[in-house]
Each structure stands twice: as structure tokens, then as C-alpha cells.
């Protein structure tokens, strides 16, 4: 399709005529780079956060692993929960472009605050990042969709290119931040973790600058509605974020992880009940679709609970129990965080081709979710075997085992994650599609907080050992395998409830 203006059905707004680069609207590449630097910032701190918390706030004592894992899990959970409010702010108050810019400023400020030696200021920095992420992350993804008419065949390809920006940023971030912390400003034995947060903050500033100068390419897409162009609304959003959002998320970060879990579950139950009520109102077909959606959300929680060990318990495992020695060279701990992105970039096109090639044998949505659980469980089975029969005389397991855990989990992610958002839009009642999407993000948030709680249990009060890791990961395997089997068994029932949705 050419770059001529066209109508987007259901929106009534014309798509501007864009210059085309490599067959796609020019603004796509600007959004690609803005997201690249934001993901660089987000994933750049992932490997270092729990290690820094233990080293800085617990004097390196292994007993700090449990609270570090719980704080990390709460942070991830609230990043997803906070994103629910971003759409409202962008739609009703300041427009998409301004939401992205304000969110980028909040995130940059929060990342630089993480360098503080005070845990209170560190937690305040995390709360600031959460506010900024809610204004930035869901909005920039939506902007990509606004570059194409609804029927434009290039839309999926455009999102694929954008998704590559996410994964390339995530792939290189741990490598660069690790070099800064361990080779330039610190050593392997004494990393200068503050430079991880400084470089992530710089990355976020680059994202801000890139979007600031590139937003003119959007030709009005994402601007505030007529009559709402004044700066007063921006001041109001910044004020609410600073006076309400940051203190709220700071409080949620610092309460007991179990209490946070109750709060997240309560937040999930309210819209879930509203979705069911709307389903009953619309008729038995809509009711059944909502029931199918909520059943799958439960399994989604379990998937992310174990998948998100990557930034917590797997980091401690790599640091203490994995043999990373190759002669005179040691595989950098932080490089494990890049394996997921490399695997996604490698396997995503293969699996996309495979689903198409399978034709009528292509698994249903519930069974793809089941496959995601099985692959996640297979990764834990590998760890279970390694920790029971591959431990060497130094108390270490082979390097390849943890490396393959990240690869296997990535395959599971590709079975489950890409179809989650699409499934939600297809099964949700039309009047509450946004609320259904909020439930999807809340299910991930609940899983992420549970991930922190589980990682804390794996480490225990005295820090991770071979025995504690084996016990925890054995539980993970059986939980995932059991859930996968159950989902495969009830898949025909769920498919019936979905009424033909594929």
C-alpha cells in the first residue's frame, strides 16, 4: 500500500500521507528508536538490581536475597499495573505525544535516583519509574498502530519491526551496562552498580530526545484534542504523578509482598466481575467468551510467576551456583539477560512460519498457552536434574544448563505471549475492551509479584544454596507441568466457550 491518506474504519480519522522507508511509514523508524532506547534503559538495570540491593542495603549478606527478590517482583508487578492508567491519561487529558514525553521525563529522573546509597531514595526512584512507564510504554505501542489503516496488510509487519527494536535494545543493554560497571568503572569482584543506573538514565534521555525531535514526523497523530492544547493539563498530570502516583507506588513497593498480592488480586477481581456482568448482559455467547478469557488469565499468572525468575533467583543462581569459567575467561553474569532476546529474534520468525505451515493442525489458543507452560516447565526440569545430579566438587552446575533454561523459556514465551493481547481483544465484550486489557496486564502483574515471593522462598532466610534451589525449582516444574496438563485436558471446554474464536 502506498503512503496516501486513507480512512481508518471505526475511527473516522484520515491516516496522513507519510514518506515511506523500506516499505513502511517514516515515523515507524522514529518510534522504533525511541522504544529501543527505552528498552535499553529498562533491561539495562534488570541484571543488576537484586545484586545491588543485596550489596548496598544488606552489606552483601545472603539474607538480603529474599527482600531483594520481593522488591524486584513488586517493582515489575507495579510497572504492569501502573500501565493501566496510561491510556486514560493519554486519551482524556494530554494526548499520546505529550504522554510519551512526560513519561520519559519521569523514567529518566527515576533511573538517576537509583544511584542513591539510601534505600528510601532508591525505592522512591523505582516508584518514579513506575509512574513514567505507565505514561510511556502502553502509549508508544499504540502509536505504531495509528500509522496504519485498520485493513493495511503492512500493520503486522510494522509491529514486528517495532518488536525487534524492543529485543535489540534488551539484547545489548546488559552487555553495555555490564562493561561499564565491571570493566570501566569497577571490577568483576567489585562492580560499580551506580553506572548501570546512570547509563540506563542516559538511555532514557536519548529516548526522550529522539521522540522530541522526531515527533513532527507524526503529522498530528497523537496530539491532544482541539481545545486541550494548553499546558495546564500537562502541569496537572505531572502534579498528580508527583503528589499521588509516586507516593502511592512507593507505599506499595515497601509493604509486605503478601499484602501487595492481596491488593493486586482485589484489583483484578473488580474488573473481572464487571466483565462477567457485561457478558451476561450481552447474552450467553459474550458470557462464555468472558469465562474463557478469565480461565486463561489464571494460567497466564502461573506462567509469568515462574518465567520472571530471570531477574531474581536465576541471577543469584548464576552468581553462586553456575560454573561460568572457560579457562581464563568467565562468562559475564549479566549476559544471561541477553539470551532471551537473542532466542526471541532467532525463533520468532521460525515459529510464525511453523504455525502457518501447520494449517488446520495449528494448536488452539488454550493449547498454545499449554505449550507455553510445558516449555517453561521443561526449563525447570532441566534445573531440577542439574541441581540433583550435575553438581561438581565446587558446588557448581554446568554453564550450559542455565543458558538453555533461558532459551527454552523463550520458546515458551513465543507460544503464549504474542497471542495474549490478540486473544483478549477478540474475547472481550465490545463495550469493555479496555477493561479486559487492564485485566490482562493485571494478570501479568500478579504473576510478577508472585515471582518475587517465589524467588524469596528459593533463597530462604540464609541465601540460595544448591539444596534450596533444587527444592524451589522442583516445585516450579511440577506446578507448571500440572497446569500444562490441566490446560490441555480442559482445552476442548475452553474452545467451546470461545465460540469459534481462533
Amino acid at each position: 500500500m502506498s503512503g496516501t491518506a486513507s480512512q481508518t474504519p471505526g475511527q473516522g480519522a484520515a491516516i496522513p500521507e507519510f514518506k515511506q522507508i523500506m516499505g513502511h511509514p517514516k515515523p515507524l523508524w522514529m518510534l522504533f528508536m525511541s522504544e529501543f532506547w527505552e528498552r535499553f534503559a529498562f533491561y539495562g538495570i534488570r541484571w543488576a538490581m537484586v545484586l545491588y540491593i543485596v550489596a548496598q542495603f544488606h552489606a552483601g549478606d545472603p539474607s538480603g536475597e529474599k527482600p531483594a527478590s520481593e522488591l524486584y517482583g513488586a517493582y515489575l508487578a507495579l510497572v504492569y499495573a501502573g500501565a493501566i492508567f496510561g491510556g486514560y491519561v493519554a486519551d482524556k487529558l494530554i494526548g499520546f505525544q505529550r504522554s510519551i514525553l512526560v513519561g520519559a521525563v519521569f523514567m529518566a529522573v527515576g533511573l538517576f535516583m537509583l544511584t542513591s546509597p539510601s534505600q528510601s531514595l532508591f525505592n522512591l526512584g523505582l516508584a518514579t519509574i513506575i509512574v513514567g512507564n505507565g505514561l510511556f510504554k502502553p502509549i508508544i505501542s499504540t502509536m505504531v498502530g495509528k500509522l496504519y489503516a485498520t485493513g493495511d496488510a503492512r500493520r503486522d509487519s510494522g509491529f514486528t519491526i517495532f518488536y525487534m527494536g524492543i529485543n535489540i535494545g534488551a539484547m545489548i543493554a546488559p552487555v553495555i551496562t555490564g562493561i561499564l560497571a565491571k570493566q570501566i568503572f569497577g571490577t568483576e569482584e567489585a562492580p560499580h552498580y551506580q553506572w548501570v543506573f546512570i547509563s540506563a538514565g542516559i538511555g532514557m534521555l536519548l529516548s526522550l530526545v529522539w521522540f522530541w525531535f522526531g515527533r513532527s514526523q507524526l503529522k498530528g497523530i497523537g496530539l491532544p484534542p482541539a481545545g486541550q492544547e494548553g499546558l495546564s493539563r500537562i502541569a496537572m498530570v505531572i502534579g498528580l504523578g508527583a503528589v499521588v502516583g509516586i507516593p502511592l507506588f512507593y507505599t506499595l513497593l515497601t509493604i509486605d509482598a503478601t499484602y501487595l498480592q492481596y491488593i493486586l488480586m482485589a484489583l483484578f477481581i473488580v474488573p473481572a466481575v464487571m466483565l462477567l456482568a457485561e457478558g451476561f448482559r450481552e447474552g450467553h455467547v459474550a458470557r462464555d467468551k468472558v469465562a474463557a478469557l478469565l480461565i486463561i488469565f489464571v494460567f497466564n499468572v502461573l506462567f509469568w510467576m515462574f518465567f520472571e525468575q530471570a531477574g531474581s533467583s536465576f541471577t543469584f543462581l548464576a552468581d553462586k551456583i553456575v560454573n561460568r569459567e572457560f579457562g581464563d575467561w568467565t562468562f559475564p553474569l549479566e549476559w544471561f539477560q541477553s539470551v532471551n532476546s537473542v532466542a526471541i529474534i532467532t525463533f520468532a520468525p521460525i515459529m510464525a512460519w511453523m504455525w502457518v505451515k501447520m494449517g488446520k493442525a495449528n494448536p488452539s489458543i488454550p493449547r498454545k498457552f499449554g505449550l507455553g507452560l510445558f516449555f517453561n516447565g521443561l526449563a525447570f526440569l532441566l534445573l531440577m536434574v542439574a541441581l540433583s545430579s550435575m553438581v561438581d566438587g565446587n558446588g557448581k552446575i554446568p554453564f550450559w544448563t542455565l543458558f538453555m533454561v533461558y532459551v527454552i523459556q523463550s520458546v515458551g514465551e513465543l507460544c503464549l505471549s504474542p497471542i495474549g493481547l490478540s486473544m483478549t481483544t477478540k474475547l472481550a465484550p465490545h463495550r469493555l475492551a479496555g477493561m479486559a486489557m487492564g485485566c490482562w496486564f493485571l494478570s501479568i502483574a500478579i504473576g510478577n509479584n508472585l515471582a518475587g515471593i517465589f524467588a524469596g522462598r528459593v533463597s530462604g532466610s540464609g541465601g540460595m544454596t544448591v539444596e534450596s534451589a533444587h527444592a524451589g525449582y522442583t516445585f516450579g516444574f511440577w506446578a507448571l507441568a500440572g497446569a500444562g496438563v490441566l490446560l490441555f485436558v480442559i482445552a476442548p471446554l475452553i474452545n467451546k466457550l470461545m465460540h469459534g474464536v481462533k
Side-chain angles (χ1 to χ4, degrees):
M1 179 178 176
S2 69
T4 55
S6 59
Q7 289 294 119
T8 304
Q11 292 179 347
I15 303 295
E17 183 176 349
F18 294 119
K19 179 181 178 181
Q20 304 295 297
I21 297 179
M22 296 178 63
H24 287 274
K26 183 179 178 182
L28 173 67
W29 305 100
M30 180 273 293
L31 296 174
F32 172 99
M33 288 304 301
S34 298
E35 179 70 355
F36 167 89
W37 284 114
E38 187 274 331
R39 290 291 91 182
F40 174 92
F42 185 86
Y43 284 99
I45 68 174
R46 192 184 193 199
W47 70 271
M49 187 179 296
V50 292
L51 297 174
Y52 175 73
I53 293 170
V54 172
Q56 183 67 37
F57 307 130
H58 298 274
D61 193 295
S63 63
E65 292 179 14
K66 182 176 185 291
S69 293
E70 290 178 349
L71 179 58
Y72 175 76
Y75 161 70
L76 279 186
L78 293 172
V79 160
Y80 278 95
I84 297 170
F85 305 106
Y88 178 85
V89 171
D91 281 331
K92 305 297 185 181
L93 297 176
I94 60 175
F96 284 67
Q97 291 188 25
R98 290 178 171 183
S99 182
I100 290 170
L101 292 169
V102 173
V105 171
F106 269 107
M107 279 194 284
V109 170
L111 286 162
F112 287 120
M113 289 175 67
L114 298 185
T115 62
S116 169
S118 161
Q119 181 155 18
S120 294
L121 285 176
F122 181 87
N123 292 346
L124 200 63
L126 292 178
T128 306
I129 294 169
I130 292 166
V131 170
N133 187 84
L135 294 169
F136 184 104
K137 187 69 180 80
I139 307 308
I140 196 167
S141 299
T142 306
M143 290 287 286
V144 174
K146 291 180 176 292
L147 302 178
Y148 302 90
T150 301
D152 193 331
R154 301 171 303 163
R155 176 186 286 261
D156 287 347
S157 175
F159 271 102
T160 300
I161 292 170
F162 183 73
Y163 191 59
M164 287 299 126
I166 294 173
N167 281 284
I168 295 171
M171 178 178 66
I172 70 168
V175 176
I176 293 176
T177 56
I179 290 172
L180 290 169
K182 293 184 174 181
Q183 297 182 29
I184 297 178
F185 297 104
T187 64
E188 186 72 34
E189 295 74 25
H192 200 314
Y193 291 116
Q194 279 85 350
W195 277 98
V196 173
F197 307 129
I198 291 171
S199 58
I202 293 171
M204 199 62 242
L205 288 177
L206 288 172
S207 176
L208 170 64
V209 170
W210 205 283
F211 187 82
W212 174 269
F213 286 104
R215 71 192 194 282
S216 61
Q217 301 174 21
L218 294 166
K219 297 185 177 182
I221 290 179
L223 288 176
Q228 299 179 6
E229 300 92 341
L231 298 179
S232 60
R233 288 174 176 260
I234 297 178
M236 180 179 66
V237 169
I238 293 173
L240 287 173
V243 176
V244 179
I246 292 175
L248 172 63
F249 288 122
Y250 177 87
T251 302
L252 294 175
L253 282 169
T254 52
I255 64 174
D256 185 271
T258 304
Y259 295 148
L260 177 59
Q261 192 64 26
Y262 293 147
I263 292 171
L264 291 171
M265 291 175 68
L267 287 174
F268 181 86
I269 289 171
V270 172
V273 170
M274 294 177 68
L275 286 169
L276 277 173
E278 179 66 15
F280 275 100
R281 192 191 69 80
E282 290 188 9
H284 75 281
V285 173
R287 176 204 63 199
D288 289 352
K289 287 181 179 180
V290 170
L293 189 67
L294 295 177
I295 291 170
I296 292 177
F297 281 174
V298 173
F299 290 96
N300 192 51
V301 167
L302 196 65
F303 177 87
W304 293 105
M305 171 182 174
F306 294 105
F307 182 88
E308 276 300 344
Q309 297 305 301
S312 51
S313 74
F314 287 176
T315 297
F316 294 125
L317 184 75
D319 187 40
K320 302 171 73 171
I321 301 176
V322 174
N323 181 3
R324 297 181 284 116
E325 307 266 334
F326 292 88
D328 294 331
W329 182 70
T330 300
F331 183 87
L333 174 151
E334 61 273 12
W335 287 14
F336 280 113
Q337 299 297 327
S338 298
V339 176
N340 172 254
S341 295
V342 174
I344 293 293
I345 293 170
T346 303
F347 290 112
I350 297 173
M351 293 187 68
W353 170 84
M354 183 181 69
W355 297 137
V356 174
K357 194 71 174 176
M358 291 177 73
K360 293 183 178 180
N362 193 353
S364 64
I365 289 175
R367 287 195 164 149
K368 282 182 179 176
F369 267 74
L371 287 172
L373 291 165
F374 279 135
F375 276 107
N376 203 353
L378 184 62
F380 279 82
L381 176 62
L382 176 56
L383 284 177
M384 186 174 78
V385 172
L387 290 162
S388 63
S389 59
M390 299 183 191
V391 181
D392 63 19
N394 296 316
K396 301 290 183 73
I397 61 175
F399 162 83
W400 67 267
T401 55
L402 183 57
F403 184 92
M404 287 306 300
V405 161
Y406 280 96
V407 173
I408 295 168
Q409 280 194 322
S410 299
V411 176
E413 180 187 0
L414 286 169
C415 291
L416 178 145
S417 187
I419 64 168
L421 293 173
S422 176
M423 171 203 70
T424 301
T425 60
K426 292 175 182 176
L427 295 177
H430 294 298
R431 293 199 323 128
L432 296 180
M435 187 172 293
M437 196 62 69
C439 275
W440 165 258
F441 284 120
L442 275 172
S443 72
I444 299 175
I446 292 169
N448 285 339
N449 192 60
L450 283 172
I453 295 172
F454 174 72
R457 300 284 173 83
V458 173
S459 287
S461 59
M464 181 180 287
T465 63
V466 170
E467 292 73 21
S468 70
H470 179 261
Y473 297 149
T474 298
F475 171 78
F477 164 69
W478 288 112
L480 288 163
V485 169
L486 176 61
L487 190 50
F488 258 73
V489 169
I490 66 174
L493 169 62
I494 298 175
N495 283 329
K496 185 176 180 181
L497 291 172
M498 290 168 65
H499 290 275
V501 170
K502 301 294 185 181

